[in-house]
Amino acid sequence: MADLEGIADDFKWTGHDAARIDVWARVSVYRDGKLVSVDRGAHSSVTAYFNETNEAKSAYNEGEPRDDWATYLAPWSAVLAHTGHYSPEDAEKTLRDILPDVLRFDRSQPAAYPNGRTLSDDVEDIRLQMVSNHEITGDGIGPHTDLLTEFPYLGHPHKK
């Protein structure tokens, strides 16, 4: 068994693992012989709600989390002001949960979004509540309740 630090050291246990880890992912494809980022992030659906144009979505997907706060605080605060009537202060406080777009997990706390994410967390409902300042409570679909005990863990996709 290895801890996170030990993964880089031939998968050895070092005992120096941090209580909190930050995770994000990128999906890239080859286009015209060049590797192009087509999706990135850690928090479900942020680009769909906050980046209104295809150009903004592409720029986001090509970006790095280290630049998110400087790049997206102002435009995403404007989205929250429009969709949820947030004050600038409340928008900034709310965006601290998703900027930079890395999924944080504090291993000393129970896993539940936004501290990590479990397979039964209804993140889409949480995102709708966030952008609407709790005016919209959910999408009516609900989380998975048909979890399996082995891979792939999720049951069949929702039909509606």
Side-chain angles (χ1 to χ4, degrees), residues 23-93:
V23 189
W24 67 286
R26 178 182 303 281
V27 177
S28 300
V29 297
Y30 278 102
R31 286 191 184 144
D32 301 321
K34 183 179 174 186
L35 197 57
V36 177
S37 178
V38 294
D39 194 16
R40 70 116 171 152
H43 293 277
S44 175
S45 61
V46 294
T47 194
Y49 286 107
F50 290 100
N51 295 317
E52 298 176 359
T53 66
N54 285 336
E55 292 79 19
K57 290 175 184 176
S58 292
Y60 168 82
N61 287 329
E62 294 168 5
E64 300 287 334
R66 70 174 170 259
D67 302 321
D68 285 350
W69 189 255
T71 304
Y72 298 109
L73 175 60
W76 290 14
S77 290
V79 170
L80 290 178
H82 176 75
T83 60
H85 309 290
Y86 281 83
S87 70
E89 296 80 18
D90 288 341
E92 182 175 329
K93 182 180 177 188

Side-chain angles (χ1 to χ4, degrees), residues 79-112:
V79 170
L80 290 178
H82 176 75
T83 60
H85 309 290
Y86 281 83
S87 70
E89 296 80 18
D90 288 341
E92 182 175 329
K93 182 180 177 188
T94 298
L95 289 171
R96 288 194 181 279
D97 282 340
I98 60 169
L99 287 176
D101 190 6
V102 295
L103 188 60
R104 296 164 189 90
F105 180 59
D106 181 340
R107 294 181 309 134
S108 69
Q109 302 297 317

